[in-house]
Amino acid sequence: MKINTKCVHGSNKRFDNTGAVSVPIFQSATFIHPGVEQSTGYDYSRLQNPTREYLEDIVANLEEGAEALAFSTGMAAITALMELFSPGDHIIASDDLYGGSVRLFRHISAKNGVRVTLLDTGDIHALEGAIRPETKAVFVETPTNPMMQVTDIAAVAQITRANGLLLVVDNTFLTPYLQRPLTLGADIVIHSGTKYLGGHNDTLAGFLVVNDAELIQRLRFIYTSTGACLSPFDSWLIIRGIKTLALRMRQHEKSANVIAHWLRKQPKVRAVYYCGFEDHPGHAVNNKQADGFGAVISFEVDNAKTARDMLERIKLVHFAESLGGVESLMTYPYMQTHADVPEEQRLSKGITDKLLRLSVGIEDVNDIIADLSSALEE
Ligand SMILES: *Cc1c(COP(=O)(O)O)cnc(C)c1O
């Protein structure tokens, strides 16, 4: 089955005999036991819920994994992942991660005794050099947020395999429609389902997707014990979102490409970060491992005033956090998504008060450009 078909028919599970085309929302906290020591397979919705199971089936299928776990948010998924590690363990992560992941590592994981080294995981030698006896995992985003650094997943997988480490890839930006890290050797895939999978800026969700049976067991135990599961209704909303994932991603991508090239020609724009450019340092690697470049573009303008003016003047494009929905959104990473990343680290990565991040929606590309153009020119 091709991936655009899987988006619509990704699960064969059927839970009733009505012939309902849309999976029912099993809005039940608990389930009746047929007898003592008997179960329908459903006991309590933190442990199992049919609507959520249907969604997990689809996401596992899209990522070519054996199982997926659906969480209430992306951060809940990453928090559960971090429960795999113990005090003294060490992790290597990309140095240009989603700000929330950096905050979690710095303030929660550190308190729990897990040390994280941040470096450019695109630099294989640096990565290899940072491995210590207590290193347990490598955590990668590719392309990164917001600077669009690309990491060669298969090359990192060779290193993690050779050293007995887990390779974790946050695949939120490209989605399984464009990139399937498990097929490239990753062990765990993370999603903020809030973004492209849901796709409508209306629901929060998160996923972990895994192939290894022992790892699935450990994660499912953490999942049911800690309890940040996705509700039945929100599961249903994400199921509905995924049905159009392929169509949306194609449009997002096409428009992003046009807008990235247009931005590059604007006099007040000093740099555009988009790995779809042939001269982007990660272009070839991204081409090798993914079927597209995604639709998030970061760009630097001439000064902080232009950046602030632009955020206040855009009308069609909303000034709001998040990405991956049908509505185009622009954000100010320096002040918003990455505000908690230490200033030094932000500036060294180019996350300055001149940097803006645009998530290209599915509006007509000419309308988006007209809005950006008038916000830049006024
Ligand atoms: C948004 C995001 C997250 C966090 O997901 P939430 O659903 O907001 O908790 C994690 N990783 C990336 C790459 C994101 O964009």
Side-chain angles (χ1 to χ4, degrees):
M1 211 187 269
K2 297 277 195 251
I3 192 152
N4 43 352
T5 308
K6 285 184 190 174
C7 290
V8 183
H9 298 287
S11 175
N12 296 320
K13 285 189 165 49
R14 289 291 173 270
F15 302 101
D16 72 346
N17 305 320
T18 63
V21 166
S22 169
V23 67
I25 303 168
F26 286 87
Q27 191 67 42
S28 186
T30 188
F31 300 84
I32 300 165
H33 299 303
V36 176
E37 292 184 57
Q38 288 180 17
S39 166
T40 60
Y42 299 94
D43 301 317
Y44 186 66
S45 273
R46 172 159 38 77
L47 312 177
Q48 318 94 356
N49 179 278
T51 314
R52 194 171 68 227
E53 221 168 70
Y54 186 92
L55 168 63
E56 289 174 342
D57 219 32
I58 294 171
V59 173
N61 203 345
L62 290 176
E63 284 288 2
E64 301 187 35
E67 267 194 50
L69 295 167
F71 292 85
S72 53
T73 66
M75 289 318 301
I78 301 173
T79 301
L81 165 85
M82 294 307 287
E83 290 295 337
L84 285 174
F85 307 110
S86 303
D89 286 352
H90 173 245
I91 289 169
I92 298 167
S94 303
D95 60 355
D96 182 43
L97 289 182
Y98 174 68
S101 301
V102 177
R103 181 170 53 219
L104 180 83
F105 294 159
R106 280 173 52 84
H107 299 291
I108 314 275
S109 310
K111 167 179 74 69
N112 295 338
V114 178
R115 302 265 166 269
V116 181
T117 299
L118 303 178
L119 50 79
D120 178 359
T121 49
D123 181 346
I124 298 290
H125 297 293
L127 192 152
E128 239 176 335
I131 296 173
R132 309 177 192 164
E134 64 274 22
T135 305
K136 292 287 157 47
V138 175
F139 185 110
V140 168
E141 266 179 44
T142 179
T144 58
N145 177 6
M147 302 309 290
M148 309 296 153
Q149 289 170 196
V150 174
T151 292
D152 186 332
I153 298 173
V156 175
Q158 275 191 346
I159 295 171
T160 52
R161 290 256 161 98
N163 290 277
L165 315 179
L166 289 175
L167 174 55
V168 183
V169 178
D170 183 334
N171 201 31
T172 300
F173 266 42
L174 291 191
T175 82
Y177 181 68
L178 298 177
Q179 176 171 273
R180 289 162 301 281
L182 296 177
T183 66
L184 299 165
D187 300 291
I188 302 176
V189 164
I190 297 171
H191 277 285
S192 169
T194 313
K195 314 295 168 55
Y196 292 104
L197 297 182
H200 293 75
N201 289 321
D202 58 9
T203 316
L204 302 177
F207 296 92
L208 294 179
V209 195
V210 193
N211 257 329
D212 178 73
E214 191 255 346
L215 195 54
I216 291 165
Q217 264 195 337
R218 284 167 67 202
L219 283 169
R220 202 166 270 286
F221 179 78
I222 293 167
Y223 179 81
T224 53
S225 305
T226 55
C229 59
L230 192 63
S231 77
F233 183 58
D234 286 353
S235 296
W236 185 85
L237 283 169
I238 304 290
I239 292 166
R240 190 167 70 163
I242 290 175
K243 289 186 194 202
T244 57
L245 177 69
L247 284 174
R248 285 186 286 108
M249 289 313 290
R250 259 181 251 144
Q251 185 59 52
H252 282 301
E253 268 244 303
K254 207 168 137 197
S255 297
N257 194 276
V258 173
I259 291 169
H261 284 90
W262 175 83
L263 274 171
R264 237 184 184 183
K265 289 190 229 127
Q266 303 313 302
K268 287 187 190 166
V269 174
R270 292 294 141 87
V272 180
Y273 302 96
Y274 169 65
C275 62
F277 290 139
E278 278 176 24
D279 57 2
H280 183 284
H283 184 79
V285 170
N286 195 86
N287 248 350
K288 181 184 73 169
Q289 66 190 6
D291 302 324
F293 307 102
V296 180
I297 302 165
S298 296
F299 60 100
E300 196 183 286
V301 291
D302 53 359
N303 57 56
K305 182 170 184 310
T306 302
R308 284 172 170 269
D309 286 349
M310 198 170 181
L311 290 167
E312 287 174 359
R313 286 173 185 165
I314 45 175
K315 293 190 181 76
L316 180 76
V317 178
H318 298 311
F319 172 27
E321 289 183 50
S322 203
L323 60 100
V326 292
E327 295 92 358
S328 293
L329 301 181
M330 199 186 281
T331 162
Y332 203 19
Y334 181 78
M335 296 268 187
Q336 293 183 298
T337 49
H338 291 68
D340 285 342
V341 175
E343 169 104 14
E344 231 180 75
Q345 191 187 330
R346 268 182 287 167
L347 297 182
S348 78
K349 294 311 296 182
I351 305 175
T352 66
D353 56 6
K354 293 182 278 190
L355 187 81
L356 295 167
R357 190 189 76 192
L358 173 67
S359 168
V360 177
I362 64 164
E363 304 92 341
D364 190 282
V365 68
N366 294 316
D367 288 333
I368 302 173
I369 288 179
D371 192 41
L372 297 176
S373 176
S374 68
L376 264 175
E377 278 164 17
E378 254 176 72

